[in-house]
Amino acid sequence: MRNILKLVCLILITIGLIPKEVQAASFKDLTDDTLMTEIHYLVEQDIVKGYSNQLFKPNAYVTKAQVAVMLTRALGLNTINIENPHYQDVTTANQYYKEIAAVQNKGIFDAAHTFNPDAPITRGEMAIVLNRAFQLKGSDPYYFTDVTEQTRGYKEILTLAHNHLIRGYEGGAFKPNDPVTRAHFSAFLARALTLSKPNLLKDPAFVYTYAHYSLSDNKRYTLSYQYEQHDGKNDVWTVKNVSTGQSLADELLYGQAIASEANTHYDLYMELPLRIGVILHEDDPGVTAGERVTVKSTNSTVQAGEVQYTGVIIVEKRSKFSDVIKTYYFVDEIGLIKELHNDIVVFELLNRTMK
């Protein structure tokens, strides 16, 4: 009996240690890998859950009641002593009454006679709801072929595009009157939750010291980076071998570059604001064609050197033309702290000192 109890305890401990991402990865019907990061994030945060038999039902339309529940969880809205919005089709006996009331009290949904809790939400309505929930700012004359000033949610759709939460469909359409799928709403919500404007460049006021493993000669070096100048497009840093004092070729500092011109030097193509998910697809045209860049996390904890960093941004870069997966770890106002090529650490920040 004692051995059986030990076995049961061991099983329970093991289950408790299983990462929640494994639960998300186990959804059998998730086939679109471009939205995996966002869906995993919401599962980890206990904002969205799947169905029985390991199904997520990504192509099912999300209902207004489900949106209310997810937003309540995402925003941590109070569901105690809430004011009854008096929707004729949502009584206090409704299983989602508290969440629906909470989002209405917050001003995310309008006061009205009815709420239509089981109705799907359209993409245009989704834009309005997310803008109200997250108080998003900014707007560009982003061109969607089917979005005009007469479109409901016109300004909000442009604001979502400005913040890189939406991309639209091939051919330039947004389809504002189409219902939103569970997968798409999950992606939009996760992106809004992780939206930020970090400074990913090295700080010119510091000298950076990195451990570097060279894949070309399989040797390890200690390199120092010291800011030299800005050449009009990029920061230029002088790189030295700490052991020998030998100066290497100057290096252009990229990391945050927006490559609007073909001759702009960059290592990553990342426009701000930043959010989790695929931010550059391999089918996109231009100088980055064939590359996929995915922000895997915007708030991780990572060890580099002898320092444990929090709020780490993890970026993964893949290419159709290479088997090497590059993973970059950035910290706001510090810059690159670690870089991996597949599982090999090629750069690791050891320390940085004021000049």
Side-chain angles (χ1 to χ4, degrees):
M1 177 64 73
R2 186 173 297 173
N3 289 335
I4 293 174
L5 288 174
K6 286 182 179 179
L7 179 60
V8 171
C9 289
L10 179 60
I11 292 171
L12 290 174
I13 291 171
T14 304
I15 291 172
L17 292 176
I18 295 175
K20 290 180 180 176
E21 183 167 332
V22 174
Q23 297 174 18
S26 67
F27 290 133
K28 296 185 295 187
D29 54 352
L30 279 183
T31 57
D32 186 351
D33 64 347
T34 63
L35 303 179
M36 290 286 194
T37 301
E38 293 95 322
I39 293 172
H40 287 170
Y41 174 80
L42 292 190
V43 172
E44 290 171 354
Q45 301 298 316
D46 290 325
I47 294 170
V48 68
K49 305 179 188 297
Y51 293 86
S52 60
N53 300 323
Q54 296 179 302
L55 298 179
F56 184 76
K57 299 185 181 180
N59 298 319
Y61 296 141
V62 67
T63 68
K64 295 180 68 176
Q66 291 171 338
V67 169
V69 171
M70 284 190 276
L71 286 175
T72 298
R73 293 171 181 166
L75 301 173
L77 298 183
N78 177 38
T79 57
I80 301 174
N81 298 324
I82 47 179
E83 183 180 345
N84 191 331
H86 297 293
Y87 290 123
Q88 294 176 359
D89 53 357
V90 180
T91 68
T92 56
N94 188 294
Q95 63 176 324
Y96 302 124
Y97 163 75
K98 289 184 177 181
E99 290 85 356
I100 292 170
V103 291
Q104 191 278 333
N105 289 181
K106 190 68 175 178
I108 297 173
F109 281 94
D110 294 328
H113 292 297
T114 59
F115 183 75
N116 299 316
D118 298 323
I121 190 170
T122 68
R123 289 168 60 84
E125 291 170 336
M126 173 274 302
I128 295 171
V129 164
L130 289 182
N131 270 274
R132 291 175 179 175
F134 294 96
Q135 299 294 301
L136 300 173
K137 306 294 182 183
S139 181
D140 289 332
Y142 196 99
Y143 182 69
F144 288 118
T145 57
D146 54 355
V147 175
T148 69
E149 292 185 7
Q150 285 69 48
T151 303
R152 185 166 187 263
Y154 166 73
K155 291 182 179 179
E156 291 84 357
I157 292 169
L158 296 188
T159 298
L160 260 61
H162 171 81
N163 286 282
H164 309 139
L165 302 187
I166 57 175
R167 288 169 59 99
Y169 291 89
E170 186 176 354
F174 178 70
K175 303 182 181 180
N177 298 319
D178 281 9
V180 184
T181 64
R182 282 172 50 83
H184 283 167
F185 185 80
S186 297
F188 301 145
L189 177 57
R191 293 168 191 172
L193 279 166
T194 58
L195 200 63
S196 64
K197 290 186 178 181
N199 179 7
L200 304 184
L201 295 177
K202 291 181 174 69
D203 188 338
F206 288 83
V207 176
Y208 287 69
T209 303
Y210 286 94
H212 172 52
Y213 177 71
S214 173
L215 296 174
S216 60
D217 59 13
N218 296 320
K219 292 183 179 180
R220 299 185 183 280
Y221 299 90
T222 303
L223 305 178
S224 71
Y225 284 69
Q226 183 164 330
Y227 179 76
E228 186 67 29
Q229 62 172 325
H230 186 78
D231 67 0
K233 291 184 178 179
N234 305 278
D235 289 345
V236 181
W237 292 65
T238 299
V239 185
K240 287 186 178 181
N241 184 325
V242 173
S243 300
T244 64
Q246 177 186 6
S247 293
L248 308 178
D250 289 346
E251 180 170 314
L252 297 169
L253 221 316
Y254 343 105
Q256 198 184 32
I258 298 175
S260 57
E261 301 176 31
N263 63 345
T264 301
H265 297 279
Y266 60 91
D267 196 29
L268 290 169
Y269 180 94
M270 293 191 292
E271 292 183 311
L272 297 181
L274 203 63
R275 44 73 175 180
I276 64 169
V278 175
I279 59 174
L280 180 69
H281 194 276
E282 58 266 28
D283 294 334
D284 292 339
V287 294
T288 57
E291 295 180 354
R292 176 182 289 196
V293 176
T294 306
V295 179
K296 305 294 287 186
S297 174
T298 58
N299 192 29
S300 289
T301 299
V302 174
Q303 182 88 15
E306 297 182 354
V307 180
Q308 188 175 61
Y309 295 91
T310 58
V312 178
I313 297 164
I314 304 176
V315 182
E316 180 186 271
K317 179 181 176 182
R318 297 171 180 258
S319 174
K320 286 182 176 179
F321 314 108
S322 172
D323 293 329
V324 177
I325 301 173
K326 297 181 179 180
T327 307
Y328 305 85
Y329 301 82
F330 293 97
V331 175
D332 185 26
E333 301 294 344
I334 293 179
L336 183 73
I337 63 166
K338 187 180 285 190
E339 179 180 337
L340 274 66
H341 289 190
N342 291 335
D343 294 327
I344 301 173
V345 179
V346 295
F347 278 100
E348 186 168 8
L349 181 62
L350 299 178
N351 61 67
R352 60 184 198 130
T353 57
M354 291 287 291
K355 287 183 179 180

